[in-house]
Amino acid sequence: MGKPPKKKNLADKVRKTKTSTEIKNNPFEVKINRKKFDILGRKSKHDVGLPGVSRSKAINKRKETLLKEYKTKDKANKFIDKRFGEYDTKMDPEEKILQRFSMERQRTQDKKDMYNLNEEEELTHYGQSLSEMEKLNDMVDSDDDADEKGVLSAELTASHFGGGGLLRRKTQGEKDNGGNQRAKSRQELIEELILKSKQEKRERQNQKEESQVLTEKLDQDWKSIQGLLAHKNAPKADRLEEEDKPKLDEYDMMVRELGFEMKAQPSEKMKTPEEVAREERERLQKLEADRLRRMMGDVVEDCTKTQAHMSADDLNDGFILDGDEKPTLAYQVRDQAGSALSGKGPGRLCLVGEGTKLDGKWNINEEGAKIEGDDEEEGGEGESGEEESGGEEGSGEDSHSDLDSEQESEGGEEEVEEEEKDEEEKDEVPATKSQLSEEERKAQAEAAKTELPYTFKAPESYSDLKGLLQGHPADHQCIILARTQKCNHPSLAVGNKLKLQKLFGFLLEYVGELASRSPPELSTIDKIIPQLYGLCQLFPEAASKAMQTTLVDSAHRMEEVLEVKGRAAFPQLDMLIYLKITALLFPTSDFRHPVTTPALLYISQALTKCPVMSLEDVTSGLVLCCLAVEYISFSKRFCPELINFLLGVLHLAVQDKTSTGYSVVPPFRQNGKVSDLLVLSDPESSQTWSKKTLPLSATQTLTLTTDLDTDHYRLSAVATCMDLLKHCSSLYRELTSYSHIFQPITTLLSKHLPIKTYPAALQDLHGEILATISGSLTSRPLLVFQKKKPIPLKLFTPKIVEVLDYGKKRGNTKEEREKERLNHKYKKEFKGALREIRKDTRFLAREKLNEVMGRDAERKRKVKELFGSLATQEGEWKALKRRKNSRH
Amino acid sequence: MAASRRCNVSSENLTVNDVKTPKIDINGKVDLIIQSKKHANDVFDVLEYLQSEKEKNVVCAIDGCTKLFSTLLERGELYVGQLPKEELLIGGDRSADEKYCMFMRHRYNGCLELLLEHISHESYQIKESALCALMQFASMEGKFPLQDLDWSEHYSFPRELIQAVVERLLSQEEDMALLISRFQEYLDMEDVRYYVMSSVRENVGRVMDKTKGAVMPIYQNNVFTLLSNINMPSQESELTNYLVKQEAKHEDWKAAKLKEHKRTFERLWLGFLKYKLPSSMYKKVLVILHDSILPHISNPTVMIDFLTAAYDVGGAISLLALNGLFVLIHQHNLDYPDFYKKLYSLLEPSVFHVKYRARFFHLANLFLSSTHLPVYLVAAFAKRLSRLALTAPPAVLLMVLPFICNLIRRHPACRVLIHRPSGADEACDDPYLMEEEDPSQCHALESSLWEIQTLQKHYHPDVATAAMAINKPLSQQEDAISELLELSTYELMERDLKHKQSKTVPLEFDPATQLLQGSGGVGVLGLNFSLE
């Protein structure tokens, strides 16, 4: 009713009245596009066209847009229909109405029901409240009442107002149920009909009543049963209904909480110790395999090239299988820790908590040791903690250890805490160990620890670090470092990462200084090692860089001295310590490693270029040899300098140097003023000798007062040398030139070394080495080239090239093709637009013509009308005239 | 008169010293003397300054003297010819001018003596100034000779002066290396060089005869320094730079003939090498022998004895003699019997550690580059080198391994060393005899290079990779070893560090808890050393 009736042309009418299939089947509507060639497998969209349909569509569209524009052309005023969705073609009319209705409701409701919280919106039907209607329905015999009321009222009005016969009759006639008139012939029939209908009505009413009663009864029954049925929910539900708001809120909160809480996830079952041990072993095996792969380097197989070098650290990150295993391990540990803690209660000081926790941890480690080696267990925990913390730096970690331990004892499942715990634990294991090893000092240390502040600023320079650590015993220095590390964890602040990276460099420097003090404070260094290891695990790049710098600086110094003098002094103790730390922090078995390879070169340089001038030098050299052996012991790589040096050292112990069946290699000389360094001054002194480890400080200063001491020291050096030889002789068994490598040493040992004057232990060692060397195979197959891999046959399967766009390809490069494509598209669009514009103009012209024609037709009609009226007027006038004339 | 005069001057000097600085004093006096003969006696004051304690004063005085006597020489105000004794000067009937000239000539001679003394002064600055002054005088004397040039054969050159300077330079007590290097500037002049060479030869002969051929390290060192500073011209046309220009008969002058230069040079060296040298000197001589001595000797074959003797010494000296011998063999047709045998015996473990390693391997590469060598010889070299490689440091190994591979490439018959398919199955002992000195007897051809296989397990990745080359047939292209010759361990280390780092640095996964904890395998350090 609101819309103006659409003016439709014939085509539209046809189209509207017929379904689409009908149109498609109509041969007059369909135009078939003839194809020149049939191409298999190609689907063409345009084989059939419906020109009529598309034309009418186009015309309609123009009518809606272009025509409207044309009509409103040169008009300033515009009629805008502001009804919702009026111009939205996408909306269904029903939807439109619904939306409008709801908006209407909202508009009316908003103000009225602003403070009405629970009230639902009132539903209406034809403007009447539905609820009210329902109430009416519920009322028994409401219909009748209304009816009878109506009747009564009619009667009443009749009686009251008296009423005219006409009126009365009229109403009764209208109603058709008045029927009390017997005056007419068919009065009885009608009466009967009325009676019948009344009866029917009554029956219906009774039925309704009954059903009403039944329903009510059923309701009551249900209510009584409902209590029984919903007994579980009942109390809460009842309370909810009964009690006032606060209770309800609580419940709501609970519900909501439950809703928001993470869904229960299937958790891993607790693992048995065997399983844990097995997984640990698997992890280690994996790491070991990785180490082996790196050891082989990229020379053996090409596959290593495709597999990027990954650090042990990285491996674990990618090692998803680990994910389930590590937390479990930690969980177990934590659980036990929790039980250990439980006696203490939750409300304790942070520090005490820390202390007790440590004890707990240590116990756990011991328990772990039953499963596997103590070290390995520790390693596992430390490792996992380390690695995960490395990976999850983003996770908020705080240093409120008491909070952690509380959560821990409660068994909170958050992994972050776990890792943190692990890390802490790792850091503090050595400290605790020392505490436990000295029971009496434990309490004292505890007391002292309380004196230490809990937070430390990360040192900005080396002197800061020194200031921080100065004057504290080794244990405390360790704690300070651990706390510094924790307070400045990378996840806590932005700059912390850099600070800790710098800390590694400072620590290294500090270690160097400790080592170069006299006497060197090696036990302190020993305590710092775990800290260094921890930092190194956190920042491998920075650590390797710092280590490299240290090595290169020292090597550069040595090189400068070498260029001037041709020989250099042995590296100082700090360098020896650095080399050892390198071996602890980085894998020494890698085929090529950015730190350990230069370190090994440094050792080699020192062993070849530094002449042995004193017993201190012998000691330094032996330390270097030990390091070299450690570096290569896993990979069993061949180090010629090591053998040369050991030979040279043994040569120092040979008395008669005139006719030897071997030749020593520089820096040693066949004979010279210091070539008798290890010759015993008194053969008798070997009687009183017992095997002792050499002190590391002897590389710097050696104070031997008596000849006996000196001789003992010499024997110890020889013993160390022989021990190293033993290691080497077993390490290099696989080498093809084994016998040639050890040939000079065999000669020296068997013919020249005054072994008779040496103590029994050394003689045993001597025999062992010779047995090992002589026990090796001297013969081996002649060399042949490796068998070439057969060249695979040429394959003739077609080379498949992916074609992304079909059709003609102009241009070779991607850019050219793209340009071509765009050009083509532009052309197509341009043509299309041109066509559309033409159609538009044509349409407009047609419309204009229509308009003109319409106007002309109107004018014609009007003119005709005028002429008509004029003609009649004229006719009438003439007739009148004639009549007048006739009258006259 | 002179003595009294001197006293006066010294007393005067003290007073003057307070008033003016010595420099102004000296310059003023020199100017006065030059201006008029009246002030001739002031020359004593100047000479007095020459003996002063103060270094600055002496230097100033030397400058003054230089100026004074140069001017006098130029003016011809110094007496020419045989100089009578000074005591006789007062008496005798000579004109005042003549007397003045004689007086000045005497002062000039005194000045020369003082300057020569100053050459062995402890201060380098004085030494240098004295030397320069003397050479200035020498140049002036050459232009304005102090001898009578009556006979036609005479060329004016202050031979005595040069001789005296050389004698001073070749001190027996002091190392004059610095001053000699300063002197090199004059040695670039052809005539100076020529006369210096002949005076050095005389000097060496005289001094060494006096000590009966005993070693005199300082003296010989000085001589060597002077000799090694002599740059001989290679072509006659290069002889252009003279201290003294000879107007007459320039072409006949000995100092202007390259042949004469060469002959003097040869005699000089022969004279020097005739005597016993300290071993360090031996090495130094051998180091420069091939490129700064041999090409300038007219008959290089005279060096054969010296070189063969040096080659037989053994060790580093032999290595160095090799270079000279190479030149003789190569350019002068020397036939050295058992040269390769000798070369073979030079291969000892120390060869990888000596300073002249690069030079030796460069030459060895040259000697062994001939494709006409017998196969057994090349095989022996390859085998011996690879055996020695078992004791070599990594930097050397990186050079030796391609070296051996190159040998095998040049002599395809040596391929059996790394590829003997016939005997692939049976195992055998190494038939090679390391002790055998004769390469033809050492059975190298029957052996294989197991040593290189061993080195495939070397700890340095580059060495291991280089050793891997023998696993496959060698490529045709020889490896360039020239840039590997001088490789040092430090350079190797730097190369490792520059090596592009992979994204992550692998870390040790065994957590470190203590310093002496074993890494990798066993804790050897912990077993043998304690934290004390």
Side-chain angles (χ1 to χ4, degrees):
Chain A
M1 65 180 182
K3 288 176 189 169
K6 260 187 190 168
K7 211 178 144 192
K8 287 172 184 170
N9 61 11
L10 191 70
D12 276 334
K13 261 181 203 161
V14 168
R15 212 162 42 78
K16 281 278 158 176
T17 50
K18 288 181 176 172
T19 57
S20 60
T21 48
E22 232 173 318
I23 293 169
K24 269 185 191 156
N25 290 335
N26 182 1
F28 295 104
E29 285 279 12
V30 170
K31 181 189 179 263
I32 292 171
N33 295 322
R34 197 177 65 89
K35 269 187 280 184
K36 252 182 191 168
F37 310 106
D38 258 343
I39 296 165
L40 278 177
R42 178 180 286 184
K43 280 180 197 161
S44 80
K45 286 184 226 162
H46 310 295
D47 52 351
V48 173
L50 299 171
V53 175
S54 50
R55 190 175 299 138
S56 75
K57 256 189 208 165
I59 289 172
N60 268 344
K61 203 176 171 191
R62 290 214 168 75
K63 267 182 192 156
E64 266 159 33
T65 53
L66 196 62
L67 191 62
K68 288 226 170 94
E69 257 176 62
Y70 175 69
K71 290 263 170 67
T72 53
K73 204 176 78 173
D74 304 329
K75 289 196 176 77
N77 295 332
K78 225 196 298 191
F79 177 77
I80 299 169
D81 195 347
K82 278 198 155 181
R83 286 174 302 167
F84 178 81
E86 184 55 36
Y87 297 107
D88 198 346
T89 48
K90 280 173 198 165
M91 264 178 158
D92 291 337
E94 288 85 24
E95 206 182 327
K96 234 182 255 178
I97 289 165
L98 217 71
Q99 285 279 352
R100 278 175 197 167
F101 176 70
S102 63
M103 279 167 84
E104 177 75 15
R105 296 296 308 179
Q106 268 173 2
R107 208 178 303 137
T108 53
Q109 289 280 313
D110 271 353
K111 275 164 200 167
K112 204 167 73 186
D113 296 335
M114 202 177 243
Y115 304 102
N116 195 354
L117 290 173
N118 323 349
E119 209 56 47
E120 269 183 270
E121 187 178 308
E122 212 176 26
L123 295 176
T124 55
H125 184 62
Y126 294 117
Q128 284 173 307
S129 166
L130 279 177
S131 54
E132 270 172 36
M133 279 163 76
E134 268 171 34
K135 267 179 206 163
L136 284 176
N137 276 343
D138 280 352
M139 292 279 276
V140 189
D141 51 30
S142 57
D143 283 2
D144 246 8
D145 255 2
D147 238 359
E148 262 163 342
K149 248 183 205 164
V151 172
L152 263 176
S153 60
E155 277 167 12
L156 267 176
T157 41
S159 59
H160 275 256
F161 296 101
L166 185 78
L167 181 79
R168 202 167 160 197
R169 224 176 293 142
K170 203 178 181 181
T171 46
Q172 278 176 349
E174 262 184 17
K175 283 235 171 181
D176 262 12
N177 59 354
N180 286 339
Q181 276 165 332
R182 290 156 207 168
K184 283 191 178 173
S185 61
R186 288 189 301 181
Q187 193 71 33
E188 287 89 5
L189 256 175
I190 291 165
E191 241 173 296
E192 240 177 78
L193 207 101
I194 290 166
L195 266 174
K196 220 184 216 172
S197 71
K198 274 198 174 175
Q199 205 174 351
E200 266 178 18
K201 211 172 219 171
R202 207 166 295 133
E203 270 172 19
R204 239 186 291 149
Q205 203 177 319
N206 281 346
Q207 224 170 343
K208 220 173 197 177
E209 220 168 307
E210 269 171 38
S211 68
Q212 189 83 28
V213 170
L214 275 172
T215 320
E216 270 171 20
K217 201 190 164 206
L218 196 67
D219 271 359
Q220 267 170 358
D221 282 358
W222 165 245
K223 258 178 194 165
S224 64
I225 300 169
Q226 199 183 19
L228 293 170
L229 261 180
H231 207 67
K232 282 166 205 161
N233 301 344
K236 269 181 194 170
D238 286 345
R239 228 189 304 153
L240 177 84
E241 279 167 18
E242 286 161 15
E243 289 183 26
D244 45 359
K245 286 247 164 158
K247 287 276 176 179
L248 192 126
D249 277 349
E250 202 179 324
Y251 171 76
D252 263 354
M253 257 163 60
M254 289 269 279
V255 168
R256 226 157 262 168
E257 232 167 73
L258 283 170
F260 283 126
E261 203 175 57
M262 277 208 307
K263 292 283 182 299
Q265 283 169 336
S267 63
E268 292 291 317
K269 68 171 172 55
M270 277 283 275
K271 282 174 183 164
T272 59
E274 288 81 39
E275 275 177 318
V276 171
R278 201 186 61 231
E279 279 177 359
E280 177 66 15
R281 199 180 60 234
E282 275 166 9
R283 191 184 69 83
L284 284 175
Q285 273 171 357
K286 185 120 186 166
L287 284 171
E288 199 61 37
D290 191 51
R291 178 205 281 273
L292 278 175
R293 185 175 55 68
R294 276 187 274 122
M295 187 173 107
M296 288 302 132
D298 41 2
V299 277
V300 180
E301 288 221 52
D302 289 4
C303 67
T304 47
K305 266 179 191 161
T306 55
Q307 214 165 355
H309 269 244
M310 280 195 298
S311 74
D313 195 21
D314 259 320
L315 177 94
N316 242 349
D317 279 349
F319 189 24
I320 306 153
L321 280 174
D322 258 7
D324 52 8
E325 171 254 313
K326 277 178 285 177
T328 324
L329 186 70
Y331 180 78
Q332 193 189 31
V333 166
R334 198 157 31 77
D335 200 33
Q336 287 167 8
S339 63
L341 281 169
S342 57
K344 291 277 172 184
R348 61 188 177 278
L349 276 171
C350 156
L351 181 83
V352 180
E354 204 174 45
T356 46
K357 203 166 51 198
L358 291 177
D359 295 358
K361 288 291 154 61
W362 198 74
N363 291 335
I364 293 145
N365 284 341
E366 273 196 336
E367 281 170 29
K370 285 171 203 161
I371 304 163
E372 268 200 317
D374 191 12
D375 272 9
E376 270 182 49
E377 180 70 18
E378 269 178 46
E381 286 160 24
E383 190 78 30
S384 59
E386 282 298 330
E387 281 152 16
E388 292 216 9
S389 69
E392 294 196 32
E393 280 167 5
S395 61
E397 182 172 343
D398 52 3
S399 55
H400 306 297
S401 51
D402 55 345
L403 196 102
D404 294 349
S405 56
E406 256 177 42
Q407 285 189 348
E408 218 173 70
S409 53
E410 282 167 23
E413 285 278 346
E414 288 190 48
E415 281 207 17
V416 185
E417 257 82 18
E418 272 172 37
E419 289 146 17
E420 187 187 333
K421 280 276 75 80
D422 285 349
E423 196 186 350
E424 261 173 44
E425 174 189 302
K426 191 211 72 67
D427 288 342
E428 283 154 7
V429 161
T432 5
K433 266 190 179 168
S434 68
Q435 283 176 357
L436 287 185
S437 62
E438 296 162 293
E439 285 295 331
E440 74 280 355
R441 272 187 56 195
K442 188 182 166 188
Q444 197 185 332
E446 202 81 14
K449 259 204 294 185
T450 50
E451 288 158 22
L452 290 174
Y454 301 118
T455 55
F456 292 94
K457 255 176 71 183
E460 291 293 324
S461 66
Y462 174 55
S463 49
D464 279 4
L465 178 77
K466 250 174 80 178
L468 204 63
L469 299 178
Q470 204 93 55
H472 291 287
D475 287 352
H476 288 190
Q477 292 189 7
C478 196
I479 293 161
I480 289 169
L481 287 173
R483 286 183 182 165
T484 314
Q485 214 174 319
K486 261 183 274 170
C487 292
N488 295 287
H489 194 273
S491 58
L492 295 181
V494 181
N496 279 352
K497 199 171 167 188
L498 207 68
K499 280 184 200 164
L500 285 187
Q501 282 179 353
K502 273 199 250 163
L503 179 64
F504 183 86
F506 299 148
L507 257 186
L508 267 192
E509 209 173 321
Y510 183 61
V511 165
E513 201 206 284
L514 286 178
S516 42
R517 277 182 199 167
S518 103
E521 297 177 19
L522 294 173
S523 53
T524 315
I525 296 175
D526 196 30
K527 296 274 159 51
I528 296 175
I529 292 296
Q531 300 298 329
L532 274 174
Y533 182 80
L535 279 172
C536 177
Q537 294 285 331
L538 276 179
F539 313 108
E541 261 82 48
S544 66
K545 190 122 269 163
M547 216 65 194
Q548 278 176 342
T549 320
T550 318
L551 283 172
V552 165
D553 283 354
S554 180
H556 185 67
R557 257 176 278 137
M558 196 196 276
E559 181 70 13
E560 275 175 349
V561 176
L562 271 178
E563 262 171 26
V564 177
K565 281 203 221 155
R567 59 203 165 92
F570 268 96
Q572 298 291 304
L573 183 58
D574 54 343
M575 262 328 281
L576 302 180
I577 298 290
Y578 283 142
L579 289 169
K580 177 63 199 169
I581 290 175
T582 307
L584 289 174
L585 298 185
F586 300 101
T588 49
S589 57
D590 283 15
F591 182 69
R592 190 192 288 279
H593 189 281
V595 186
T596 47
T597 306
L600 202 46
L601 269 180
Y602 182 86
I603 294 176
S604 139
Q605 174 85 331
L607 286 180
T608 37
K609 296 287 185 201
C610 304
V612 174
M613 310 300 283
S614 61
L615 278 178
E616 283 90 339
D617 288 349
V618 172
T619 321
S620 296
L622 285 175
V623 172
L624 284 172
C625 285
C626 284
L627 287 172
V629 168
E630 283 191 7
Y631 271 74
I632 56 167
S633 59
F634 189 82
S635 53
K636 298 190 177 169
R637 295 223 158 85
F638 176 47
C639 181
E641 296 85 349
L642 173 63
I643 304 290
N644 291 348
F645 196 87
L646 291 177
L647 175 73
V649 169
L650 282 186
H651 180 71
L652 297 180
V654 172
Q655 270 167 333
D656 180 25
K657 292 183 165 70
T658 46
S659 63
T660 52
Y662 58 89
S663 51
V664 290
V665 181
F668 293 95
R669 296 191 178 180
Q670 206 72 19
N671 37 38
K673 57 178 190 283
V674 287
S675 60
D676 289 337
L677 265 181
L678 293 180
V679 176
L680 298 185
S681 56
D682 180 17
E684 292 306 307
S685 52
S686 65
Q687 308 279 322
T688 52
W689 179 78
S690 64
K691 169 94 174 122
K692 268 185 298 187
T693 53
L694 301 174
L696 274 177
S697 57
T699 54
Q700 301 310 306
T701 47
L702 193 56
T703 45
L704 298 166
T705 43
T706 61
D707 274 359
L708 190 69
D709 278 349
T710 319
D711 274 358
H712 282 176
Y713 194 82
R714 282 171 180 154
L715 282 172
S716 294
V718 169
T720 305
C721 186
M722 299 242 261
D723 186 50
L724 287 173
L725 267 181
K726 201 183 86 185
H727 278 292
C728 289
S729 62
S730 54
L731 270 180
Y732 292 149
R733 285 187 74 86
E734 303 299 315
L735 296 182
T736 38
S737 301
Y738 183 76
S739 54
H740 298 300
I741 294 167
F742 284 95
Q743 189 259 328
I745 285 176
T746 322
T747 319
L748 191 149
L749 283 179
S750 53
K751 292 187 187 145
H752 300 281
L753 202 67
I755 194 69
K756 293 278 180 293
T757 60
Y758 285 168
L762 276 183
Q763 287 185 13
D764 290 348
L765 203 56
H766 176 258
E768 237 175 89
I769 297 167
L770 281 180
T772 319
I773 294 173
S774 60
S776 71
L777 279 175
T778 49
S779 58
R780 56 250 160 225
L782 291 162
L783 289 183
V784 282
F785 291 145
Q786 275 175 356
K787 286 210 174 62
K788 264 190 278 180
K789 276 182 204 160
I791 300 164
L793 287 174
K794 266 189 183 168
L795 297 176
F796 294 104
T797 48
K799 189 183 173 191
I800 293 167
V801 180
E802 200 182 5
V803 178
L804 291 173
D805 50 341
Y806 294 91
K808 260 191 268 177
K809 280 230 174 53
R810 299 184 195 84
N812 300 317
T813 62
K814 203 177 169 189
E815 287 79 41
E816 268 178 65
R817 257 178 282 145
E818 181 70 13
K819 196 180 165 191
E820 200 65 36
R821 196 180 62 77
L822 286 176
N823 254 341
H824 180 67
K825 204 171 172 184
Y826 159 75
K827 226 171 182 174
K828 233 165 80 180
E829 291 292 315
F830 182 76
K831 277 182 178 170
L834 213 62
R835 203 160 46 225
E836 289 298 304
I837 290 169
R838 282 196 190 120
K839 277 181 185 168
D840 280 354
T841 44
R842 218 175 291 152
F843 173 79
L844 275 181
R846 202 163 49 230
E847 283 299 321
K848 275 180 192 164
L849 185 68
N850 277 344
E851 217 171 83
V852 171
M853 299 252 278
R855 266 207 309 268
D856 282 0
E858 183 82 351
R859 203 174 123 257
K860 243 180 198 165
R861 192 182 53 79
K862 278 182 179 164
V863 167
K864 234 180 194 171
E865 219 169 70
L866 281 176
F867 272 128
S869 68
L870 281 176
T872 42
Q873 218 175 350
E874 184 72 18
E876 272 171 14
W877 183 67
K878 277 192 176 157
L880 205 71
K881 212 175 165 184
R882 234 180 278 134
R883 259 197 326 215
K884 261 184 192 169
N885 285 340
S886 63
R887 259 183 225 166
H888 290 293
Chain B
M1 182 183 102
S4 64
R5 202 80 207 149
R6 224 165 257 169
C7 278
N8 289 345
V9 171
S10 57
S11 59
E12 217 176 69
N13 213 4
L14 285 172
T15 53
V16 168
N17 247 355
D18 301 333
V19 187
K20 316 179 211 174
T21 59
K23 194 178 177 181
I24 296 167
D25 189 29
I26 292 167
N27 286 344
K29 280 186 177 148
V30 167
D31 286 341
L32 282 179
I33 299 167
I34 291 171
Q35 272 164 18
S36 75
K37 292 174 184 172
K38 269 191 281 181
H39 303 285
N41 276 334
D42 283 351
V43 79
F44 284 110
D45 299 348
V46 179
L47 290 179
E48 186 72 19
Y49 274 118
L50 215 52
Q51 285 163 304
S52 151
E53 298 287 314
K54 284 185 188 164
E55 190 181 298
K56 230 162 89 186
N57 292 0
V58 178
V59 174
C60 288
I62 290 173
D63 286 344
C65 285
T66 316
K67 193 179 169 195
L68 170 64
F69 290 113
S70 299
T71 323
L72 291 182
L73 270 169
E74 212 167 335
R75 284 194 206 151
E77 287 182 3
L78 291 183
Y79 182 77
V80 175
Q82 198 64 35
L83 190 68
K85 290 247 183 300
E86 192 155 23
E87 289 77 41
L88 305 175
L89 207 66
I90 306 149
D93 44 349
R94 291 180 172 87
S95 68
D97 268 354
E98 208 172 351
K99 271 187 186 168
Y100 171 74
C101 285
M102 281 181 173
F103 170 76
M104 272 311 181
R105 177 73 195 277
H106 274 291
R107 299 289 78 73
Y108 173 64
N109 286 356
C111 173
L112 285 185
E113 264 168 45
L114 283 173
L115 286 176
L116 284 171
E117 263 172 46
H118 278 321
I119 283 189
S120 26
H121 198 274
E122 58 262 21
S123 155
Y124 175 69
Q125 202 154 11
I126 293 176
K127 276 185 191 176
E128 192 188 350
S129 312
L131 183 69
C132 291
L134 282 169
M135 291 315 285
Q136 170 78 21
F137 288 145
S139 137
M140 292 313 286
E141 269 191 61
K143 262 182 232 166
F144 309 100
L146 292 176
Q147 266 84 28
D148 289 328
L149 296 170
D150 336 342
W151 57 91
S152 56
E153 285 303 302
H154 188 86
Y155 293 99
S156 61
F157 195 83
R159 233 172 294 191
E160 287 81 12
L161 185 58
I162 292 289
Q163 223 161 7
V165 169
V166 165
E167 197 177 332
R168 291 290 173 171
L169 277 178
L170 301 178
S171 157
Q172 295 179 27
E173 289 94 28
E174 199 184 350
D175 184 13
M176 304 290 274
L178 258 177
L179 199 59
I180 289 172
S181 64
R182 177 76 178 81
F183 189 61
Q184 201 198 353
E185 174 190 313
Y186 299 103
L187 283 176
D188 284 342
M189 296 174 201
E190 324 299 336
D191 45 357
V192 176
R193 181 170 59 236
Y194 179 77
Y195 287 108
V196 164
M197 283 196 292
S198 44
S199 15
V200 168
R201 186 167 61 86
E202 278 167 35
N203 190 281
V204 169
R206 201 173 59 244
V207 172
M208 294 313 284
D209 279 344
K210 213 165 24 182
T211 59
K212 305 210 172 62
V215 179
M216 298 171 70
I218 296 171
Y219 174 71
Q220 279 174 322
N221 200 24
N222 281 335
V223 175
F224 176 76
T225 318
L226 185 59
L227 291 190
S228 57
N229 272 324
I230 292 174
N231 288 328
M232 286 291 283
S234 54
Q235 281 178 330
E236 186 97 37
S237 55
E238 281 174 31
L239 300 171
T240 48
N241 185 10
Y242 292 96
L243 183 72
V244 181
K245 284 269 180 241
Q246 303 292 337
E247 286 85 16
K249 292 178 237 153
H250 178 80
E251 291 77 30
D252 293 344
W253 195 25
K254 277 186 177 177
K257 285 184 188 158
L258 184 65
K259 218 172 111 193
E260 288 297 326
H261 273 270
K262 281 193 166 184
R263 228 174 58 203
T264 325
F265 188 68
E266 179 187 316
R267 266 154 59 197
L268 168 63
W269 271 107
L270 282 180
F272 176 62
L273 297 176
K274 197 162 69 182
Y275 302 99
K276 194 172 187 305
L277 298 174
S279 71
S280 63
M281 182 67 62
Y282 230 132
K283 285 182 193 166
K284 279 187 192 165
V285 171
L286 287 170
V287 166
I288 63 159
L289 188 71
H290 69 284
D291 60 25
S292 52
I293 302 177
L294 280 183
H296 305 301
I297 288 181
S298 57
N299 183 14
T301 43
V302 293
M303 285 293 186
I304 287 176
D305 287 342
F306 173 73
L307 282 172
T308 47
Y311 195 39
D312 288 335
V313 169
I317 292 177
S318 294
L319 295 187
L320 292 171
L322 209 55
N323 216 336
L325 272 183
F326 171 71
V327 174
L328 290 186
I329 292 169
H330 184 231
Q331 289 163 4
H332 301 284
N333 227 357
L334 172 70
D335 183 25
Y336 192 93
D338 295 336
F339 176 77
Y340 281 100
K341 203 171 151 188
K342 191 80 196 147
L343 185 64
Y344 180 73
S345 68
L346 281 182
L347 293 178
E348 277 180 350
S350 59
V351 87
F352 293 136
H353 295 87
V354 290
K355 212 161 64 179
Y356 311 108
R357 173 188 90 202
R359 177 198 281 255
F360 174 75
F361 278 99
H362 169 71
L363 286 173
N365 194 28
L366 272 180
F367 294 141
L368 293 172
S369 61
S370 164
T371 46
H372 298 295
L373 295 176
V375 179
Y376 75 87
L377 187 76
V378 178
F381 271 101
K383 180 68 186 174
R384 193 171 179 91
L385 277 175
S386 53
R387 180 63 66 82
L388 293 178
L390 287 178
T391 63
V396 179
L397 283 176
L398 281 180
M399 183 267 295
V400 168
L401 289 172
F403 190 93
I404 295 169
C405 289
N406 281 353
L407 285 184
I408 297 170
R409 279 193 190 105
R410 281 175 208 149
H411 302 272
C414 285
R415 212 171 82 136
V416 289
L417 287 178
I418 55 170
H419 181 58
R420 199 190 300 269
S422 59
D425 303 328
E426 75 235 36
C428 65
D429 281 353
D430 198 344
Y432 173 72
L433 302 171
M434 186 74 175
E435 286 73 31
E436 178 60 53
E437 297 224 331
D438 188 354
S440 60
Q441 306 290 317
C442 66
H443 304 293
L445 259 184
E446 290 141 45
S447 176
S448 274
L449 299 182
W450 288 290
E451 291 83 3
I452 299 187
Q453 200 182 30
T454 303
L455 287 175
Q456 291 174 0
K457 288 285 278 177
H458 194 271
Y459 67 87
H460 196 268
D462 291 344
V463 174
T465 317
M468 289 289 177
I470 64 151
N471 282 348
K472 283 180 289 210
L474 295 171
S475 59
Q476 286 297 306
Q477 194 69 37
E478 282 191 17
D479 298 323
I481 59 165
S482 49
E483 62 261 33
L484 295 172
L485 285 172
E486 308 252 19
L487 194 69
S488 75
T489 312
Y490 178 67
E491 280 165 8
L492 205 60
M493 201 164 176
E494 276 192 326
R495 223 163 62 169
D496 271 345
L497 293 179
K498 274 183 199 144
H499 203 270
K500 60 170 175 52
Q501 295 208 352
S502 52
K503 271 163 264 156
T504 53
V505 183
L507 295 175
E508 180 65 47
F509 60 79
D510 275 346
T513 48
Q514 29 179 320
L515 185 61
L516 294 184
Q517 178 190 351
S519 57
V522 276
V524 191
L525 190 66
L527 283 179
N528 289 307
F529 288 91
S530 59
L531 283 179
E532 282 166 39

